[in-house]
Amino acid sequence: MISDPKLPLSRSSTGLPELQPPPHAPEPPDSASSRPHPASHLWLRRVGVLLFVFLCATIGVMLMILPWRPEWADNHLLLPFPALRSIFENGFTRGVCTGLGVLNVWIGFWEAIQYREE
C-alpha cells in the first residue's frame, strides 16, 4: 500500500519495533577522577613550551644560515626552473628569509621568557 507523501510517516508503517529508552541513564563519571593530575598537566605544559622554543630556534637558525650557503640556489630541485633559481639567488629574497629566521628565533625566546607557571 502506498501512502500519501504529504502525510507524516507513522512509526508502525515501517514494520520495525520501536526503540525504548534505557530504564536509567548512566551516572556521569566523577569530575575529580576525570581530570588529569595537576602535576602531569604542568609537565605537559613545560614540555610543550620547551618543544615550541626548540622548534622555533631550530627553524630560525636554519632560515638565517641556509640562504647564504651555495646549496640554497644550486640544488637539483631548482635546475629545471631557471627563473625561480634567479629569484632564489637574489639578495632581497635571501635577506627576507634571514629576517624571517631572526623573527622566528625571537618568537621562540620570547615564549621562553614569558612562560609563567600558575
Side-chain angles (χ1 to χ4, degrees):
M1 173 170 125
I2 299 176
S3 64
D4 187 12
K6 295 178 185 173
L7 294 175
L9 184 64
S10 65
R11 291 189 181 265
S12 63
S13 67
T14 60
L16 297 174
E18 292 186 27
L19 295 176
Q20 299 295 327
H24 60 83
E27 295 181 17
D30 186 21
S31 62
S33 65
S34 64
R35 290 184 183 169
H37 194 268
S40 64
H41 179 70
L42 180 65
W43 277 103
L44 284 174
R45 188 163 179 244
R46 286 177 183 170
V47 169
V49 169
L50 181 70
L51 288 175
F52 181 75
V53 169
F54 179 73
L55 183 70
C56 283
T58 304
I59 291 173
V61 168
M62 289 179 71
L63 279 173
M64 286 190 290
I65 294 174
L66 284 179
W68 305 103
R69 303 270 308 155
E71 297 88 14
W72 177 255
D74 297 331
N75 62 42
H76 67 282
L77 296 174
L78 293 176
L79 287 178
F81 309 104
L84 189 61
R85 186 174 176 198
S86 66
I87 292 172
F88 270 69
E89 288 176 342
N90 190 354
F92 179 77
T93 306
R94 291 178 179 199
V96 166
C97 289
T98 300
L100 288 174
V102 170
L103 183 65
N104 216 348
V105 169
W106 177 262
I107 289 171
F109 284 121
W110 181 259
E111 283 293 321
I113 291 169
Q114 295 297 318
Y115 175 71
R116 299 280 183 260
E117 293 181 357
E118 297 152 356

